[in-house]
Amino acid sequence: MLLRRVLGYGVLGAGLVSTGLSLHTNDYDPNSLGIVRLSRSAAAVVDVALTYKRELYYRDWDKETPEYKAEKSRVHKMAAEKLLKLICTNKGVYIKVGQHIGALEYLLPKEFVQTMKVLHSDAPQNPIEDLYKVIRQDLKCNPEDIFDDFEREPLGTASLAQVHKARLKTGEIVAVKVQHPYVKGNSRVDMKTMELAVSVLARIFPDFKIHWLVEESKKNLPVELDFINEGRNAEKVAKQFEKYSWLRVPKIYWQLSSSRVLVMEYLEGGHVTDLSYIKRNKIDAFAVANRIGQLYSEMIFSTGFVHSDPHPGNILVRRTPQHSVEIILLDHGLYANLTDKFRYDYSKLWLSILNVDRKAMRLHSEQLGIKGDLYGLFACMVTGRPWETVMQGITKIKYSKEEKNTLQSNTSLVLPHISDVLEQVDRQMLLILKTNDLIRGIESTLRTQNRMTAFWVMSKCCVQSSYAEQRTQPANTRSRVLWLRLRERWELLKLNCYYLYLGLINFGFLEALKQVI
């Protein structure tokens, strides 16, 4: 009895001490307490569940009727707005997960996706005084000693930080990225809370299988919270692609940076999806899409070092005085490091899709973890096209609004199978699927989905990646390596001729030649 009492007081004391430490770390903000954030999340989950029960599941519906579909859409919208309110209140990690939900068009109802997309460009912001505290704590000096001017209105607010324009004492204009004060302290509690919330939702809705999302967030979050790592990533990708004069990556001011503060070169441009800015500055939307496609194809299939958060706020465009188009790549906190084997298998999968080779699609899907007949659904998720289009050849059928409607209307029917794919697939594929979806979203806004160069550039990168992997095999002789190089050149020549031919049919000689050259 005495031992039990001692243990009880010990647990209570430890809880009080940890609570006190948490409050102290977070400037005595009660919102930082795990019990507060957990209670708020639990209440929101229960509220969402009751909303569905009260508004939709109170009766048996004929699920094919327009009445049911309209009612289901209305309730999805209500539930999504309740979830968004929780995310904006708890902030931090919650916003990061909400942004991810906003990219899952192939998995979740469109009402959830559209509601969460606001978080890509309009995340809640903290007052500038909170950011000054972080700067003082990390850089050990007052902001007034570093900056001549620090704009109070942020250039952008993301899930983990916000960015402000400032002028150094030296006169240089910089962008200052400062981590939200309470993110790091709350991250562990928030991830545990979300694990619980996802488990509860999975019980209510058996098709709601997104445990993988929480697992990936847990793995990636510590990396994203380290701004020193982000600075190194920026320098690495700038070095890898220095051959492209049209790509700009901000320079890092290391002497003024820490794990929570990153001072960078200020580069001005418009968001890649800001059509009014693009038209006003006479920027060629096809040139923008081509360069983004070329950059990401090389990242995925050639270097294996992939910028994995290409939402519109992280890609800027501008027209140079020489009338060229520049792409500015921001936010280098999260990168996928793909293995050589993964890049080889993924390259072969894409080539099999482009060649409409079902047998090869199944084989290379299996290499990426997909079992049995799910390879067809996997191919649809990779391409963002319906199976009928995949079988006719995605290079031959133009993307249309009818296709998009077909995909969205069928999502609910194949949702359990999509969840199975996401649980089976090689973990490296999860960031690639997210990246693919975000890039497709940019192309959709720019209205450039049907550009010929998209598949041409990607096909070239796939061929090069495939042959590069084959040349590294230890059993290769010198003559074998030479033969592989010749085969690669021949495949690339065939590709160029094929896409030039497609261009002649669809665009005419001069435009086709311009796109291929």
Side-chain angles (χ1 to χ4, degrees):
M1 179 70 73
L2 180 61
L3 179 61
R4 186 179 300 172
R5 191 173 297 172
V6 169
L7 287 173
Y9 285 132
V11 169
L12 178 61
L16 290 172
V17 169
S18 64
T19 299
L21 286 172
S22 176
L23 282 170
H24 176 70
T25 302
N26 294 294
D27 291 338
Y28 299 96
D29 177 13
N31 185 54
S32 68
L33 288 176
I35 188 64
V36 172
R37 300 170 74 78
L38 176 61
S39 300
R40 189 183 292 136
S41 302
V45 169
V46 170
D47 189 20
V48 167
L50 291 176
T51 297
Y52 275 99
K53 185 175 181 180
R54 183 178 59 250
E55 302 286 338
L56 191 64
Y57 297 142
Y58 67 93
R59 55 170 275 196
D60 289 329
W61 295 86
D62 180 351
K63 295 186 178 180
E64 298 303 316
T65 62
E67 182 189 6
Y68 170 75
K69 291 175 181 177
E71 195 66 10
K72 183 175 71 170
S73 178
R74 183 183 70 82
V75 177
H76 279 335
K77 181 68 174 172
M78 287 176 61
E81 287 173 351
K82 290 175 186 292
L83 187 58
L84 180 64
K85 184 179 178 182
L86 168 68
I87 287 169
C88 291
T89 303
N90 275 3
K91 302 181 182 179
V93 177
Y94 283 78
I95 294 175
K96 175 61 67 175
V97 174
Q99 288 175 337
H100 205 142
I101 290 172
L104 296 177
E105 295 193 57
Y106 54 84
L107 179 60
L108 296 176
K110 65 179 183 297
E111 293 81 6
F112 277 87
V113 173
Q114 292 301 322
T115 301
M116 296 303 156
K117 276 187 175 179
V118 68
L119 296 171
H120 285 147
S121 57
D122 193 22
Q125 66 186 62
N126 283 303
I128 197 169
E129 288 73 23
D130 286 353
L131 306 187
Y132 283 168
K133 288 178 187 176
V134 175
I135 292 173
R136 290 189 189 99
Q137 289 168 359
D138 278 38
L139 301 185
K140 310 302 180 190
C141 59
N142 289 317
E144 296 82 5
D145 298 332
I146 305 171
F147 307 106
D148 258 349
D149 181 55
F150 195 101
E151 292 189 1
R152 298 186 71 86
E153 193 64 27
L155 294 169
T157 305
S159 55
L160 307 181
Q162 58 195 62
V163 181
H164 290 255
K165 185 178 179 182
R167 185 173 66 249
L168 298 176
K169 292 289 185 181
T170 58
E172 293 170 279
I173 305 298
V174 294
V176 185
K177 182 174 182 177
V178 185
Q179 196 170 111
H180 297 314
Y182 314 127
V183 169
K184 192 169 285 188
N186 294 333
S187 59
R188 188 173 296 179
V189 170
D190 287 347
M191 291 313 306
K192 289 290 184 185
T193 303
M194 270 183 282
E195 277 187 288
L196 180 61
V198 167
S199 297
V200 170
L201 286 172
R203 286 179 177 273
I204 299 169
F205 310 112
D207 294 341
F208 192 84
K209 301 175 188 174
I210 60 168
H211 287 90
W212 58 269
L213 175 55
V214 177
E215 290 302 316
E216 286 302 300
S217 298
K218 280 171 64 178
K219 183 180 75 176
N220 294 327
L221 190 61
V223 177
E224 293 186 82
L225 288 172
D226 182 5
F227 288 179
I228 297 296
N229 178 70
E230 178 174 343
R232 292 192 187 114
N233 286 344
E235 290 189 339
K236 181 176 178 178
V237 80
K239 181 70 176 172
Q240 285 180 339
F241 292 98
E242 60 185 353
K243 63 183 178 181
Y244 292 137
S245 59
W246 47 260
L247 177 66
R248 297 294 304 275
V249 176
K251 179 184 75 176
I252 307 299
Y253 289 76
W254 286 112
Q255 72 277 17
L256 298 175
S257 297
S258 70
S259 63
R260 295 193 299 167
V261 179
L262 193 64
V263 178
M264 304 162 281
E265 173 187 13
Y266 175 72
L267 295 172
E268 197 164 8
H271 286 179
V272 69
T273 52
D274 186 347
L275 291 178
S276 62
Y277 173 89
I278 288 172
K279 289 176 182 176
R280 191 167 62 251
N281 289 275
K282 299 178 180 178
I283 294 172
D284 185 347
F286 278 90
V288 171
N290 286 340
R291 287 178 175 177
I292 292 173
Q294 185 173 4
L295 178 64
Y296 274 87
S297 289
E298 287 202 37
M299 283 182 176
I300 292 170
F301 299 109
S302 300
T303 69
F305 189 63
V306 186
H307 181 275
S308 297
D309 201 12
H311 69 72
N314 289 340
I315 301 179
L316 306 182
V317 295
R318 68 183 183 186
R319 193 165 181 250
T320 68
Q322 294 75 34
H323 307 299
S324 180
V325 175
E326 278 189 342
I327 306 296
I328 301 168
L329 196 60
L330 306 175
D331 197 343
H332 300 271
L334 183 59
Y335 271 75
N337 285 283
L338 307 179
T339 64
D340 291 343
K341 181 182 183 305
F342 176 88
R343 287 191 297 109
Y344 174 76
D345 291 330
Y346 189 48
S347 298
K348 297 297 280 186
L349 173 65
W350 258 111
L351 289 173
S352 68
I353 292 170
L354 294 170
N355 294 328
V356 197
D357 185 342
R358 289 184 67 166
K359 186 176 179 181
M361 280 186 224
R362 178 188 284 268
L363 172 64
H364 297 295
S365 294
E366 286 176 358
Q367 295 294 322
L368 292 167
I370 305 302
K371 300 170 186 172
D373 291 335
L374 285 175
Y375 78 92
L377 178 57
F378 183 48
C380 295
M381 291 168 64
V382 166
T383 60
R385 310 290 294 271
W387 180 245
E388 293 76 15
T389 301
V390 173
M391 283 293 91
Q392 291 177 66
I394 58 175
T395 61
K396 299 172 184 174
I397 307 297
K398 289 189 175 182
Y399 186 82
S400 64
K401 187 176 287 187
E402 289 71 25
E403 255 194 28
K404 184 176 182 179
N405 292 336
T406 298
L407 279 172
Q408 288 183 337
S409 62
N410 289 336
T411 295
S412 59
L413 300 176
V414 297
L415 180 57
H417 304 300
I418 292 174
S419 296
D420 289 339
V421 167
L422 294 171
E423 288 188 348
Q424 290 177 17
V425 76
D426 187 311
R427 298 295 89 184
Q428 297 173 88
M429 194 70 220
L430 296 175
L431 278 177
I432 298 302
L433 285 171
K434 173 191 169 188
T435 302
N436 286 352
D437 283 346
L438 288 168
I439 294 295
R440 274 196 290 267
I442 290 171
E443 292 179 344
S444 176
T445 303
L446 294 176
R447 303 185 184 95
T448 59
Q449 305 101 310
N450 292 314
R451 62 198 169 90
M452 181 189 65
T453 45
F455 296 119
W456 175 66
V457 170
M458 188 169 61
S459 299
K460 280 207 312 179
C461 288
C462 287
V463 168
Q464 290 165 341
S465 174
S466 173
Y467 278 99
E469 178 66 16
Q470 291 179 61
R471 286 196 300 271
T472 61
Q473 299 305 311
N476 282 344
T477 61
R478 185 175 296 179
S479 59
R480 166 76 175 163
V481 171
L482 179 60
W483 168 244
L484 288 171
R485 287 192 183 280
L486 290 172
R487 282 284 305 275
E488 179 183 357
R489 296 282 177 85
W490 173 240
E491 292 292 337
L492 291 173
L493 177 62
K494 287 196 298 182
L495 271 178
N496 289 342
C497 292
Y498 175 63
Y499 283 102
L500 180 59
Y501 165 71
L502 286 181
L504 289 170
I505 293 174
N506 294 299
F507 302 103
F509 178 76
L510 289 177
E511 186 62 26
L513 199 60
K514 177 184 170 185
Q515 290 201 43
V516 172
I517 292 174

